[in-house]
Amino acid sequence: MTGTDRLFLVLSWTIGLCCVVFLMLPIVITVAASFTSSSVYTLPPPEWSLRWYRSLQERSGLWEAVSLSLNLALVSTAISLVLGTLAAVAVARGQFRGREAIATFTVSPLMMPGLVVGVALLQFFREIGLRDAYWSLLLGHIVITLPFVMRTLLASMSAFDFSLVDAARTLGLSYPKAILKVLVPNLAP
């Protein structure tokens, strides 16, 4: 290794470490500030305390909110995985007009800030009469997570050899079973 290589290696590690510190610093400060006894945000804390963590036990509705969040996360992830996989397979394998338009439309929520998407969805759901909070939240989560699933799988499918699925079909598997037995395990990593 030459001196220039060592210099660039040290420089890249230094820049990477600085980036990690820069990104982690707000989390570290927030955690440190959570151990204060003061009602006002102060660093360093006047006195170390577990006051705010003890108050979590007294909050009514906290565990219901946590279970609702976990439920929404699990259900929306499962739905997004299924729909995103089907959409990615259709766009990658399909021979129809407008598949690029479908791919662009599917990832369009990524092109706008989350707040804009959220307000637009709130207005849309209100206009069509959907007032149930659970279903509105679930649809909103699916709209946000589906583009990530589809883009990731579409990128993976560009390197996948679809002749493996065809080979599995010639060996007796139906198309859905060939997808589950051949394509899904190859795309899982």
Side-chain angles (χ1 to χ4, degrees):
M1 184 179 280
T2 66
T4 307
D5 290 340
R6 275 191 227 109
L7 174 68
F8 281 113
L9 182 66
V10 168
L11 186 63
S12 64
W13 275 100
T14 304
I15 290 172
L17 186 62
C18 288
C19 288
V20 168
V21 168
F22 177 76
L23 292 172
M24 295 301 290
L25 195 59
I27 295 171
V28 171
I29 291 172
T30 302
V31 169
S34 72
F35 289 104
T36 185
S37 60
S38 173
S39 298
V40 181
Y41 177 78
T42 56
L43 268 181
E47 181 179 318
W48 295 100
S49 169
L50 294 174
R51 168 187 179 188
W52 301 111
Y53 293 98
R54 275 190 232 113
S55 72
L56 283 177
Q57 297 171 349
E58 302 163 6
R59 301 271 180 206
S60 64
L62 175 69
W63 296 113
E64 291 84 6
V66 169
S67 70
L68 175 65
S69 293
L70 288 174
N71 182 325
L72 279 170
L74 291 173
V75 172
S76 69
T77 300
I79 292 171
S80 291
L81 280 172
V82 170
L83 292 178
T85 303
L86 293 174
V89 167
V91 169
R93 284 283 289 199
Q95 301 298 325
F96 56 92
R97 288 183 8 190
R99 47 178 219 177
E100 286 82 19
I102 290 174
T104 303
F105 175 75
T106 307
V107 297
S108 63
L110 295 177
M111 298 175 199
M112 292 180 276
L115 183 63
V116 173
V117 174
V119 170
L121 285 173
L122 176 67
Q123 292 292 349
F124 174 70
F125 293 148
R126 185 177 296 155
E127 287 295 320
I128 65 170
L130 182 60
R131 304 227 187 272
D132 187 16
Y134 180 81
W135 293 106
S136 299
L137 286 170
L138 181 63
L139 289 172
H141 277 78
I142 291 169
V143 165
I144 296 298
T145 56
L146 183 66
F148 291 105
V149 172
M150 185 177 166
R151 292 307 287 174
T152 303
L153 288 175
L154 207 52
S156 296
M157 283 185 198
S158 67
F160 180 73
D161 183 14
F162 279 96
S163 64
L164 295 172
V165 174
D166 296 334
R169 292 197 62 213
T170 60
L171 293 173
L173 288 179
S174 65
Y175 192 72
K177 283 189 179 179
I179 293 289
L180 287 174
K181 299 258 183 191
V182 177
L183 180 65
V184 171
N186 281 300
L187 296 180

